[in-house]
Every structure is written in C-alpha cells, then in structure tokens.
Amino acid sequence: MSSTTPPRPFDVAALFPQLAPMARTATRLHPRAGSPSPHDSSVGGPLLWPADEPWPHCDGPHEWDQVNEPTSAEDVRLLRRIQAAAASRADGVPGASGYTPQERAVIERINAGRPWPEGPIAMLPVAQLYLRDVPSLRLSGQAGADLLQVLWCPFDHPEHPRTALFRRSAASVTDILDTPPEPPAVQFSGYVPQPCLISPEEVVEYPHFLELGKELQELLADWSRWQAAESAVDSAYAVAPQELYMDQLSVSPGWKAGGWSRWGLTDPMPRVCSTCGTGMDPLLTIATTEWNRGTASWAPEGDRTRHPLPPGVPPANHTRIDLARGYDLQLHVCPVSPDHPHLELVQ
C-alpha cells in the first residue's frame, strides 16, 4: 500500500529565496511489514545474494554489557508472532486475552537467553534497494550497479551496529543464496528488522537550521518574516519560528535515501572521507520511527489507521528497529570512490 506525505504548509523557498539553491531530493522509503522476496526492495528482507559469494561476518570485538540476556534473531521473530497472536485474540474474542500456556512456556525459554557467542558473527540484512525503485540512490563509481545492500552486526560497536555496504548489478546474480547464515545471538531485539516492503516517495528537503549561514538563521528566527505566508503559518511557533522550519519544512524524518542530514543529538559536524578528505554525501537514513511528536506533520496520510501495530509498539515503528533509544543511523559515502570507507552517524 502506497504512503503519501501530506503537502507542506507552504513553499518555504518562495518565502526565503536564499533556500532555493539548497533544495535536495530525498526519497522517503515508507517501510511497512510484508513478505518481500530477493527481487524486491525491502527493509529486513532476503537479499539477492550470489550463492558463490561469502556471506559477510563481523570479527568483533563483541563485548556483552551483562544487563541483557543474549537472544537469537529467530526467537525475536517468534516472540513478535506470539505477541501479535495474543493481541489479535484479545481484540477478536470476547474475554480472551494474554498468552496460552504453550506461548508462556516459549516466552520463558526465550527470556532465559542464549550462551554468549564466540567467533565471527554473521551479519543481518537491513536494507536492499533497487535503483528502479529509488532513482535518486547514489551508486556512482560502480559500473553497472543498480542494487544497494546494507547489512549490520547486531551488536554495538560501541554505540550502534556496525554496517557493511554492497553495490552490485542485479543481472549478474544468476544463482541466489537460499539460506544465508544467521548470527547465533543478537544484543537487542531492536537490532532485528521486521521484514518490510517499501513505498518510495520523493520529497524536497532543505538543510537543517544549524547548517545554514548566520544571516539566514537570523532571517528564519525573525517572526515578522513569516507573516507573508499568512494563515499557513502556525502562530504557535511565533516564539521560535526556526522550530517551524525544522519540524515541518526542512528535513523529512524516517527511512530515506539521499536528502540532507538530520541533527538533534549533536550539532552539525564535518563529514569528510577518512581516505581522501572529500565531503561525504548522505546515502541512507536507517530510522527508529517514521515520525514522532515533533515531526507528526510528515506522517503519511491515514498512517495510524492503515498500518496497525501491536500494543506497546510506537505507531510509526513499522520496522521494529530501535537505535540508541529512538535515534537514527545515517550512512554517508564518499563521492570519489565507493571503495572508500563510509561514515556512520547517530542522530
């Protein structure tokens, strides 16, 4: 099912022409739970992985925090199915609620945890994006590449999963790996993506307020400058109109390819290639939620009713990923060479 971002309240570049040259196209991915195949663009779905190519593993180090018991990706998925079944019974059968004795036994086993894993850890698929679905995807420098694959190690390194990027030509994969290895354990259930199909949608973005020059920041912070938009401007932002710019008019939230970097955990910092010193480009934002209270105006129309989630799951957490307690992991790449290391940024 397609998802559509509501129109922005007004054209901010018409009100502040200095922003017009800074406009960038971002592709919001709108992942929603589904059953993707290796031939689909997806989040957490099976990859179009060559049978004769080794599956990526992470050599660590993997340090356990001694607080959470290790579990497996398989058990995370099983627990989610049990929770969904219990929620369905509670809604559909009068007087039915909670778990069956068999389900409780399974939950007890899962909560007991697994042995601490040793040796290299098989990485988990995070995203697979075909260029046909996301034309703005930055795959330059790799001849014939039309497919981006992102995997991660489901352990902190040190504050978030370590990612690996692969660019390839889909047509070159004639024999697909049927049963890729899975990690023997994962650190958090939020590091196991729920398989999702995507509904790509292009939107226009402008830089985060903190990335603008001082003169333009002062203009955006002047409430009188916003009066030309008349009734389209929410007067609740009169005290700090720059918040209106950040919440509704600049950087879209959620999973996306390209666009501008989102900030919030820290102020903007340089994003330069560690190999050649070139400024890096945003490639992919891996988001905990599609939107939150501050960015609710970006929520796709009808999102709350069309895509119900189990009790206790935030209304926009369709992928079931949880990064650094609700933040995003933004991947940046060097425009000079795909062989240069990519940058991971939590915001």
Side-chain angles (χ1 to χ4, degrees):
M1 184 178 293
S2 63
S3 298
T4 304
T5 301
R8 299 300 82 204
F10 53 89
D11 182 359
V12 68
L15 196 60
F16 299 96
Q18 301 92 327
L19 289 169
M22 306 178 194
R24 287 184 183 175
T25 296
T27 303
R28 300 191 73 192
L29 301 182
H30 301 307
R32 299 294 183 269
S35 300
S37 78
H39 302 285
D40 293 316
S41 290
S42 66
V43 167
L47 303 184
L48 189 79
W49 195 268
D52 60 354
E53 183 175 325
W55 188 262
H57 285 67
C58 178
D59 294 327
H62 302 109
E63 298 180 1
W64 194 246
D65 61 12
Q66 304 299 324
V67 175
N68 299 284
E69 291 292 337
T71 187
S72 69
E74 179 184 4
D75 281 345
V76 169
R77 300 183 191 107
L78 175 57
L79 182 58
R80 289 172 182 170
R81 290 195 297 270
I82 290 175
Q83 292 169 337
S88 177
R89 286 195 300 271
D91 291 339
V93 180
S97 62
Y99 302 109
T100 67
Q102 293 82 4
E103 290 170 340
R104 290 186 183 278
V106 173
I107 294 173
E108 184 175 346
R109 175 189 64 76
I110 292 174
N111 289 339
R114 292 200 170 202
W116 173 245
E118 297 181 358
I121 302 277
M123 290 185 145
L124 280 173
V126 177
Q128 174 169 269
L129 302 177
Y130 284 87
L131 194 61
R132 66 171 187 259
D133 299 321
V134 189
S136 62
L137 200 60
R138 294 180 181 270
L139 296 177
S140 58
Q142 190 86 3
D146 61 354
L147 178 61
L148 173 70
Q149 296 170 323
V150 182
L151 301 92
W152 68 24
C153 171
F155 287 85
D156 284 339
H157 290 273
E159 298 157 346
H160 56 75
R162 175 182 292 165
T163 57
L165 308 182
F166 295 85
R167 303 167 180 85
R168 66 175 80 250
S169 165
S172 68
V173 184
T174 55
D175 190 8
I176 304 173
L177 181 64
D178 292 328
T179 54
E182 284 213 322
V186 300
Q187 189 165 9
F188 304 109
S189 63
Y191 289 172
V192 182
Q194 184 80 2
C196 291
L197 292 164
I198 68 169
S199 297
E201 176 196 23
E202 291 190 347
V203 296
V204 176
E205 291 190 344
Y206 299 96
H208 189 279
F209 178 77
L210 294 178
E211 291 207 76
L212 300 174
K214 182 178 179 181
E215 181 178 346
L216 189 48
Q217 285 184 354
E218 291 175 349
L219 288 176
L220 291 173
D222 182 354
W223 179 243
S224 66
R225 300 280 182 170
W226 294 84
Q227 301 311 298
E230 299 177 342
S231 61
V233 177
D234 185 347
S235 60
Y237 286 97
V239 176
Q242 66 270 25
E243 297 291 336
L244 170 61
Y245 174 75
M246 289 189 287
D247 289 350
Q248 300 187 26
L249 302 168
S250 57
V251 183
S252 64
W255 283 74
K256 67 174 183 177
W260 284 92
S261 302
R262 174 172 288 277
W263 302 95
L265 187 61
T266 69
D267 286 346
M269 61 184 69
R271 287 137 288 159
V272 297
C273 177
S274 60
T275 299
C276 67
T278 303
M280 304 184 84
D281 297 326
L283 174 72
L284 178 69
T285 297
I286 300 170
T288 296
T289 59
E290 176 112 347
W291 47 269
N292 57 32
R293 184 171 60 181
T295 57
S297 75
W298 293 91
E301 296 171 345
D303 196 37
R304 294 174 185 266
T305 56
R306 281 205 309 256
H307 305 282
L309 286 165
V313 178
N317 184 218
H318 300 280
T319 65
R320 308 295 286 275
I321 283 176
D322 186 359
L323 284 161
R325 297 185 179 180
Y327 287 95
D328 301 343
L329 180 61
Q330 302 177 69
L331 306 182
H332 294 70
V333 291
C334 177
V336 173
S337 172
D339 297 325
H340 291 178
H342 65 282
L343 173 69
E344 300 166 335
L345 176 68
V346 172
Q347 288 293 323

